[in-house]
Every structure is written in structure tokens, then in C-alpha cells.
Amino acid sequence: IPAISTFGWVYTVAVVTLFTVWRTVNSARGRAFLSVREDEIAAEAMGVNTTQAKVRAFVMGAFFAGLAGALFAHYLRYLNPQTFDFQRSFEIIIMVVLGG
């Protein structure tokens, strides 16, 4: 895998990601995400399609996870199954739990 994951690429992707998430949170769809997160029944009562909001949030999260995986692959320059052992899985879960 070619090494295109430089500091510039990662910084650019991080800035674009933060800008996209900021714009999403401050939009009508972002308010729907927040209302579903706080109280799903109340959001449904207010007219928010909770299923659609959940699917959109999942797709957005999967997109950014795929983007991070692509940058990680270009950083390592070689992927094999032994790279992702129990230790790596544990590290990722700790990052998710501590990072929120």
C-alpha cells in the first residue's frame, strides 16, 4: 500500500471531519440526532423519524470509521490479520469507552 498518509493528509481529514460534524450538529438533522439521543419517545412524539435518524447516524459513523481505516492502512503500508489481534481490539474498545 503506498504511503500517502502523511501529517498533512491526516490534519486535513481531521479538520474536514470536525467541520462536517459541527455543521451536522447545528443543522436540523443534527438536532434530530440529539433529540433521539436524549429521549427517543419524546423525539418520536415531536415528529422526528427516529429510525431514519438512527440510520443516518450509523451511516455517518461508518463513513468516518472507514476513512480512518483507510488512513491507518496507508500509515502501516501493509495489512495482515495478525495486525488486529486481541491486544489491538482491546485498545480500540478502550479508546471508544474513554473517548466517548
Side-chain angles (χ1 to χ4, degrees):
I1 300 174
I4 63 167
S5 179
T6 62
F7 179 74
W9 274 100
V10 173
Y11 186 76
T12 303
V13 169
V15 168
V16 169
T17 299
L18 287 174
F19 179 72
T20 304
V21 170
W22 177 74
R23 292 276 298 182
T24 301
V25 168
N26 292 321
S27 70
R29 287 192 178 125
R31 300 293 180 194
F33 291 163
L34 295 175
S35 67
V36 169
R37 181 190 70 185
E38 294 300 325
D39 191 355
E40 186 176 346
I41 296 170
E44 187 77 36
M46 293 301 295
V48 175
N49 186 350
T50 57
T51 304
Q52 185 182 35
K54 287 179 183 180
V55 169
R56 286 183 189 269
F58 178 78
V59 168
M60 191 170 160
F63 171 76
F64 286 120
L67 194 62
L71 287 173
F72 184 65
H74 284 283
Y75 172 73
L76 288 182
R77 299 185 64 192
Y78 176 73
L79 293 179
N80 61 0
Q82 285 77 25
T83 305
F84 304 101
D85 56 352
F86 180 75
Q87 179 76 19
R88 180 69 62 176
S89 299
F90 192 70
E91 287 174 5
I92 292 171
I93 292 199
I94 292 296
M95 285 184 228
V96 169
V97 170
L98 293 179

